[in-house]
Amino acid sequence: MKRLRAEIEPVAARDFLRFLFDWQRVAVDARMQGPEALGELVGQLEGFEAPAGAWETAILPARFAQYESSWLDDHCLAGHITWARLRPRNGGANGERKAAPVRSTPITLLERRHAQLWASLPAVADPAPLTAPAGAVADFLQENGASFFEELADGTGLLRTQVEDALAELVTLGLVSSDSFGGLRALLVPAERRQRCAIGRGRRKPTPFGMEIAGRWGLARRGQLSQNRSAGNGARAGSEAVEHMARTLLRRYGVVFWRLLEREANWLPPWRELLHVYRKLEARGEIRGGRFVAGFAGEQFALPEAIGALREARRRNGDSGVLVSLSGADPLNLAGILTPGPKLAGLTRNRVLYRDGIPIALLESGEIRFLETLEAGSEWEAHKTLLRSSVPAPLTHLS
């Protein structure tokens, strides 16, 4: 088949970043509205790894005018969305290890119907040694299937605090998940803070951080496609997973090339496998190949609907002065990747400030660093915007 090359003048990196802000709806005038848009957003960000504490304090609020945590819970309980740590953590040396905090555990949001495809991509890790309480909870789930928190406490004979600690350990290892995002949210908030929330809301009202709204807890299901693919078995299933990943990256960025994927999970298929899929999709006429973003070597591919948006981004070239502040954990933290200058670690509390698609300031380890010289008034405005919190008031306990 003849490959269709799109004829478009390549856009500069700054224009491409402005395009990405509109594509992912993070600009001030382009944020999503209402719970219906959440499913669309998760489909776009599906498979992106971010610290558990970043999703509702940084990433989702940056894309919604008024984000509410109940939206995500409702989608999860309805079976549309799920969350997971896709790559289980390996055991430590000599069988000794300490679980990382839940807050920094890399978590992905997924459309539940695609969860098995995603779980098949990371290689299965060696089993990690568990503490006695975590082992008791894991054994109970293995024997009894998905269970509510009260069932875990009664069935294992552990104290509620021990069950919570056990679930936190199993989450950080990528071994369990729950029906609702509320289960993960509860583990992000210390018990004393949850008690204060409960007192403030009244005894009959469930708190947004309580285990009672977590639904059931269950063991994570793992596929073997990553191993089968390397052994030459299960080729059809493995190909389906890789193609879904390739399509998701196009949905996430509109345009895909090798350098853009630097902040994606390191367990994703190698670029050569994705490239095979993109060439096949281009031959079918589903996507376009060409040179879309200037300054980056290698093949580039774009969704047809992204090409017009790229042209529009180039036509709007100019200094509008729009400031966009994002968490370091955000997928659009591309400073030092698409633009010259230092990179910013993908931590929740780190922040990058863009002006017209150019990073002008970084917040890292509590220190602000300006990347260009600004006038006093502009620097003060940039300083305020960089530090401004986008966390919804009901979720401030998560930050």
Side-chain angles (χ1 to χ4, degrees):
M1 286 185 169
K2 183 179 179 181
R3 295 170 64 186
L4 300 177
R5 303 269 92 180
E7 296 182 1
I8 176 176
E9 181 182 349
V11 303
R14 64 180 295 176
D15 295 330
F16 181 55
L17 275 166
R18 284 207 299 266
F19 157 82
L20 286 177
F21 295 150
D22 288 338
W23 188 260
Q24 291 195 16
R25 307 283 287 278
V26 299
V28 175
D29 58 348
R31 290 185 178 180
M32 295 183 174
Q33 300 282 342
E36 297 80 9
L38 184 60
E40 175 188 345
L41 176 63
V42 170
Q44 188 179 56
L45 299 184
E46 194 177 57
F48 182 80
E49 281 189 340
W55 281 106
E56 291 195 304
T57 62
I59 298 176
L60 297 181
R63 289 159 172 79
F64 284 90
Q66 292 181 322
Y67 172 74
E68 295 184 18
S69 61
S70 60
W71 301 347
L72 186 52
D73 292 333
D74 291 344
H75 275 283
C76 288
L77 292 172
H80 302 150
I81 294 174
T82 188
W83 60 271
R85 177 175 188 170
L86 289 179
R87 184 172 187 173
R89 182 168 178 171
N90 291 318
N94 302 320
E96 297 181 0
R97 57 164 309 283
K98 182 178 181 180
V102 177
R103 185 176 300 277
S104 60
T105 298
I107 293 295
T108 64
L109 296 181
L110 308 168
E111 294 185 21
R112 183 176 284 274
R113 61 196 175 114
H114 298 146
Q116 281 297 94
L117 289 175
W118 285 100
S120 70
L121 289 172
V124 178
D126 295 331
L130 302 176
T131 61
V137 170
D139 290 343
F140 183 88
L141 292 174
Q142 183 69 45
E143 295 173 5
N144 298 277
S147 305
F148 292 98
F149 181 80
E150 296 294 344
E151 294 174 322
L152 292 174
D154 293 342
T156 60
L158 298 171
L159 298 175
R160 291 175 63 91
T161 54
Q162 290 179 305
V163 177
E164 289 186 16
D165 291 342
L167 289 172
E169 179 180 339
L170 293 170
V171 166
T172 63
L173 296 176
L175 299 180
V176 301
S177 183
S178 69
D179 288 341
S180 168
F181 199 81
L184 179 60
R185 193 183 300 122
L187 296 177
L188 292 172
V189 180
E192 60 273 13
R193 285 192 183 182
R194 271 185 272 140
Q195 292 171 358
R196 290 199 297 268
C197 289
I199 294 173
R201 293 173 62 88
R203 298 182 63 180
R204 294 187 178 182
K205 295 181 180 180
T207 77
F209 312 114
M211 280 292 178
E212 65 272 14
I213 63 172
R216 298 174 305 165
W217 290 89
L219 294 175
R221 292 178 292 175
R222 298 291 169 192
Q224 300 290 331
L225 296 186
S226 56
Q227 295 180 348
N228 292 340
R229 194 165 68 247
S230 62
N233 301 320
R236 178 179 301 177
S239 176
E240 182 183 358
V242 175
E243 180 169 332
H244 178 71
M245 179 67 242
R247 290 181 180 275
T248 300
L249 289 171
L250 272 172
R251 187 176 178 184
R252 175 137 65 241
Y253 298 110
V255 179
V256 171
F257 47 93
W258 176 77
R259 184 68 181 276
L260 181 62
L261 307 184
E262 185 170 326
R263 292 204 59 242
E264 294 291 332
N266 58 13
W267 45 259
L268 295 184
W271 174 248
R272 63 179 180 275
E273 293 190 31
L274 297 173
L275 189 59
H276 176 74
V277 174
Y278 290 136
R279 288 172 175 171
K280 181 176 64 174
L281 296 178
E282 183 191 6
R284 292 177 184 169
E286 295 184 39
I287 66 174
R288 298 292 182 264
R291 182 66 55 192
F292 303 103
V293 185
F296 299 97
E299 296 188 62
Q300 301 180 9
F301 301 89
L303 292 173
E305 57 267 32
I307 296 175
L310 281 170
R311 292 193 179 105
E312 177 61 26
R314 187 175 56 246
R315 281 196 295 267
R316 289 189 285 114
N317 187 18
D319 295 327
S320 63
V322 174
L323 298 175
V324 178
S325 177
L326 297 174
S327 166
D330 196 282
L332 293 185
N333 167 23
L334 297 170
I337 298 174
L338 296 187
T339 60
K343 297 179 183 179
L344 181 68
L347 305 178
T348 308
R349 293 186 181 275
N350 288 347
R351 299 196 70 81
V352 56
L353 181 66
Y354 289 101
R355 184 181 64 188
D356 295 320
I358 297 293
I360 63 170
L362 304 176
L363 173 65
E364 188 168 20
S365 301
E367 296 184 2
I368 294 178
R369 177 172 29 155
F370 284 93
L371 305 180
E372 61 179 61
T373 302
L374 303 176
E375 296 179 357
S378 298
E379 182 174 315
W380 175 240
E381 182 63 27
H383 184 279
K384 290 193 300 181
T385 304
L386 181 64
L387 298 179
R388 187 174 300 146
S389 173
S390 61
V391 183
L395 297 176
T396 53
H397 289 284
L398 296 178
S399 58

